[in-house]
């Protein structure tokens, strides 16, 4: 049995809204320890992974291992219909396994229940590379304010949705996007005095081409946290990470684009 | 729907 309390505008809802146009299904694994969500875009170029430990989820109840495929559009449509003040609970029970119930309770105790079919109740358990593996593959990381990151992603995506480049050296971080009528460059210099807000950490310079559309999609999710951290590799997907709550985190991966 | 193979391929890089 699973009971997942949700609030309109909470990180879970935010992630669902963000990946609405990228993927049809969110693969969710719940255990007594917490929730893991994984969604892959239809072209297999971007992945979002969300980890919510049970202690960060007030009212979270799960007494067994549950692996479900949630139809993202159905869930988002239902949440959008709810009121901001409603208490929302996502339920998967033993009797109705194969369906999901989303219950909305207003402050006046009026209720609305949505019931929809899970995409696939018996999904395989996905394994993402662990933190140590990932760290060994990345030659550089950059910590920066998430609001600033979102602004850049929006700017790059507006300019050129298809081709962008992130370059990092121990002195600066640059973003570049190629548009149809011109190019855009954004440059950040490492400030020696204050590394709490912006910090570059590189073993060797990295240059990575990517599709700005995906980063722009994910960037709004990262504003749930004050800081965002980018991990760059010459050969592996770009990873962007932010912390949610005490121990939760969101990670997005964007496949590198082969340079034209 | 993705499979573990899709994910492995994704993370293996290019």
């Amino acid at each position: 049995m699973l009971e997942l309390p949700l609030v309109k505008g909470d990180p879970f809802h935010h992630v669902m809204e963000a990946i609405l146009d990228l993927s049809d299904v969110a693969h969710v694994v719940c255990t007594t320890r917490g929730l893991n969500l994984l969604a892959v875009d239809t072209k297999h170029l971007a992945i979002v992974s969300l980890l919510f430990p049970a202690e960060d989820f007030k009212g979270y109840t799960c007494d067994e291992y549950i692996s479900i495929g949630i139809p993202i559009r159905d869930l988002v449509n239902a949440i959008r219909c709810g009121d901001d003040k409603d208490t929302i609970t996502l339920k998967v029970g033993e009797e109705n396994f194969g369906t999901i119930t989303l219950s909305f309770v207003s402050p006046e105790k009026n209720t609305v229940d949505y019931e929809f079919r899970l995409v696939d109740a018996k999904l395989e358990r996905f394994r993402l590379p662990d933190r140590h593996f990932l760290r060994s593959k990345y030659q550089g990381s950059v910590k920066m304010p998430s609001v600033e990151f979102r602004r850049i992603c929006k700017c790059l995506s507006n300019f050129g949705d298809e081709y962008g480049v992130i370059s990092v050296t121990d002195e600066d971080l640059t973003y570049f996007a190629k548009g149809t009528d011109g190019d855009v460059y954004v440059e950040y210099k490492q400030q020696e005095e204050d590394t709490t807000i912006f910090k570059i950490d590189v073993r060797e310079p990295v240059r990575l081409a990517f599709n700005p559309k995906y980063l722009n999609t994910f960037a709004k999710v990262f504003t749930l946290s004050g800081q965002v951290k980018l991990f760059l590799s010459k050969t592996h997907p770009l990873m962007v990470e932010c912390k949610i709550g005490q121990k939760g985190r969101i990670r997005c991966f964007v496949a590198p684009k082969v340079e034209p | 729907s993705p499979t573990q193979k899709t994910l492995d391929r994704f993370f293996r890089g290019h």
Side-chain angles (χ1 to χ4, degrees):
Chain A
M1 187 267 290
L2 167 70
E3 280 195 10
L4 196 65
L6 303 173
V7 182
K8 211 171 169 177
D10 73 1
F12 188 87
H13 177 211
H14 258 280
V15 170
M16 288 293 190
E17 288 272 0
I19 58 180
L20 185 62
D21 295 325
L22 288 184
S23 184
D24 301 327
V25 191
H27 301 268
V28 175
V29 170
C30 294
T31 64
T32 50
R33 293 168 64 188
L35 173 146
N36 256 293
L37 179 149
L38 181 97
V40 182
D41 87 290
T42 46
K43 290 181 180 168
H44 299 163
L45 293 174
I47 292 176
V48 60
S49 145
L50 169 76
L51 171 73
F52 266 134
E55 58 261 41
D56 278 4
F57 237 130
K58 199 179 168 193
Y60 174 90
T61 313
C62 181
D63 53 12
E64 60 183 324
Y65 173 88
I66 290 180
S67 171
I68 51 176
I70 297 178
I72 298 170
R73 190 160 293 276
D74 288 347
L75 187 91
V76 167
N77 283 341
I79 294 176
R80 283 179 182 173
C81 290
D83 190 84
D84 291 354
K85 292 174 188 158
D86 286 351
T87 309
I88 312 169
T89 312
L90 187 154
K91 294 176 193 168
V92 178
E94 284 160 13
E95 292 134 30
N96 59 346
F97 205 76
T99 61
I100 193 171
T101 306
L102 207 58
S103 296
F104 292 71
V105 181
S106 73
E108 298 80 27
K109 305 291 176 201
N110 298 322
T111 61
V112 180
D113 279 0
Y114 292 88
E115 194 173 291
F116 40 85
R117 208 180 290 272
L118 292 169
V119 176
D120 186 350
K122 288 181 183 172
L123 293 161
E124 64 175 303
R125 189 173 197 170
F126 291 123
R127 292 178 309 278
L128 291 186
D130 65 26
R131 199 172 176 82
H132 298 294
F133 171 85
L134 291 172
R135 284 202 181 276
S136 69
K137 297 294 176 196
Y138 291 101
Q139 288 96 27
S141 70
V142 182
K143 182 177 76 174
M144 65 184 300
S146 52
V147 174
E148 196 79 352
F149 179 66
R150 185 181 180 185
R151 194 176 63 80
I152 293 166
C153 290
K154 208 171 170 182
C155 169
L156 296 184
S157 189
N158 284 344
F159 225 82
D161 219 11
E162 292 295 323
Y163 183 73
V165 174
I166 299 180
S167 307
V168 67
T169 68
D170 51 9
E171 288 176 357
D172 60 12
L173 166 74
T174 54
Y175 293 90
F176 164 77
K178 192 164 191 58
T180 45
D181 299 320
D183 304 336
V184 57
Y185 290 92
V186 185
E187 185 178 12
Y188 284 88
K189 292 272 183 210
Q190 173 68 70
Q191 305 294 317
E192 282 178 19
E193 311 84 56
D194 189 3
T195 54
T196 53
I197 297 169
F198 183 81
K199 186 169 185 265
I200 294 175
D201 194 0
V202 289
R203 290 204 296 270
E204 54 182 299
V206 191
R207 176 190 153 90
L208 176 88
F210 66 101
N211 188 328
K213 183 178 75 178
Y214 292 106
L215 266 199
N216 190 38
T217 300
F218 295 139
K220 52 191 167 207
V221 174
F222 291 117
T223 52
L224 294 167
S225 173
Q227 292 275 329
V228 66
K229 198 165 181 182
L230 285 75
F231 294 85
L232 295 105
S233 161
K234 289 174 181 171
T235 52
H236 282 68
L238 167 70
M239 176 168 90
V240 189
E241 180 185 82
C242 79
K243 290 196 168 75
I244 299 289
Q246 296 295 311
K247 289 181 182 170
R249 55 132 180 91
I250 298 174
R251 272 186 197 154
C252 295
F253 302 90
V254 178
K257 204 173 167 74
V258 177
E259 301 251 17
Chain B
S1 181
T3 61
Q4 185 62 47
K5 262 189 190 168
T6 313
L7 296 187
D8 290 343
R9 216 166 26 232
F10 181 87
F11 285 106
R12 214 180 297 132
H14 66 90

